[in-house]
Amino acid sequence: MLLLVGLGNPGARHVGNRHNIGFLAVQEIAKRHGIGPWRRRFAGVACEGPLGGARTLLLLPGTYMNESGRAVAEAAHFYKLSPADITVFHDEIDLPPAKVRVKIGGGIAGHNGLRSISEHIGNDYRRVRIGVGHPGVKELVHGYVLNDFAKAERPWVEALCDAIASNAELLAQGKDASFQNKVHLAMVAKGLGQTEPDDQTSDNNSK
């Protein structure tokens, strides 16, 4: 069993927030691969189905971001999962918009959702870091991530979620570097990504 977790805040007013791109990505994975229906489970909503040959649970915590770990811990305990079985999709202000990086473990860089998850299950889970850019000043970060994507940003947000969903089976198979590169190439092909070669990391060992 694999657990894919999208991070975000619940409620209609947060749907389009930069902080909610983890929700958007995981919802698109469910849609693309016919996984559903969503049901209320584990202090959130979840659906289950096959992905890349693996039985997979998709989870959107129904708590606010800073309590995300509660939902993740409930699901992990129920299915007896280790951190190695868990992948978390989240917004990353330290990456340029539309850039994706995959890593296992590491710091939380002030992200309240990651902090909560690490407090509940430890730090050695996989993260799909989805770049949303930085407002330039630390004091503006809170408002920046809790604001909606600008109209001009929506094309890359939709294209990136589509590319993530299209290549999600690679994640399920542990091919992190291949996933990262395929997403990069898909964005370049749509004219929405940086054209320089993506840095490479070995599959199954993205740190």
Side-chain angles (χ1 to χ4, degrees):
M1 168 70 84
L2 300 177
L3 173 59
L4 305 187
V5 182
L7 292 190
N9 284 308
R13 73 187 183 95
H14 294 295
V15 169
N17 290 179
R18 293 182 180 91
H19 223 15
N20 274 43
I21 199 166
F23 270 15
L24 298 177
V26 170
Q27 286 170 325
E28 189 62 28
I29 291 171
K31 180 181 174 183
R32 173 63 53 85
H33 297 277
I35 301 173
W38 292 95
R39 292 192 171 93
R40 292 190 178 279
R41 295 182 76 192
F42 308 122
V45 292
C47 58
E48 187 179 323
L51 182 69
R55 183 181 173 207
T56 306
L57 182 77
L58 276 55
L59 173 66
L60 306 179
T63 57
Y64 281 96
M65 184 71 83
N66 62 355
E67 291 288 340
S68 300
R70 186 156 56 87
V72 176
E74 282 186 25
H77 178 74
F78 184 85
Y79 288 108
K80 298 179 172 59
L81 303 177
S82 71
D85 302 317
I86 299 170
T87 300
V88 176
F89 295 74
H90 66 92
D91 58 305
E92 177 59 77
I93 59 171
D94 292 329
L95 286 177
K99 197 79 167 173
V100 169
R101 283 284 175 272
V102 183
K103 73 171 184 176
I104 298 170
I108 59 171
H111 195 291
N112 288 332
L114 297 182
R115 177 180 289 109
S116 177
I117 292 170
S118 293
E119 286 172 353
H120 279 82
I121 67 165
N123 207 41
D124 295 329
Y125 52 92
R126 180 168 51 174
R127 302 101 186 271
V128 178
R129 306 162 62 216
I130 305 172
V132 297
H134 196 289
V137 182
K138 184 179 179 181
E139 289 72 25
L140 298 179
V141 166
H142 182 75
Y144 177 77
V145 296
L146 290 178
N147 277 331
D148 286 357
F149 285 104
K151 187 176 180 181
E153 294 177 289
R154 289 175 196 161
W156 74 251
V157 173
E158 291 177 9
L160 187 60
C161 288
D162 179 72
I164 287 171
S166 295
N167 294 286
E169 290 183 343
L170 293 170
L171 280 177
Q173 295 162 356
K175 298 175 181 177
D176 296 357
S178 297
F179 165 80
Q180 188 174 284
N181 196 46
K182 290 273 191 182
V183 170
H184 168 74
L185 292 175
M187 295 301 285
V188 170
K190 293 174 182 178
L192 295 166
Q194 300 169 353
T195 54
E196 75 271 12
D198 218 16
D199 7 341
Q200 293 298 306
T201 356
S202 299
D203 281 332
N204 298 307
N205 193 33
S206 300
K207 293 291 183 183

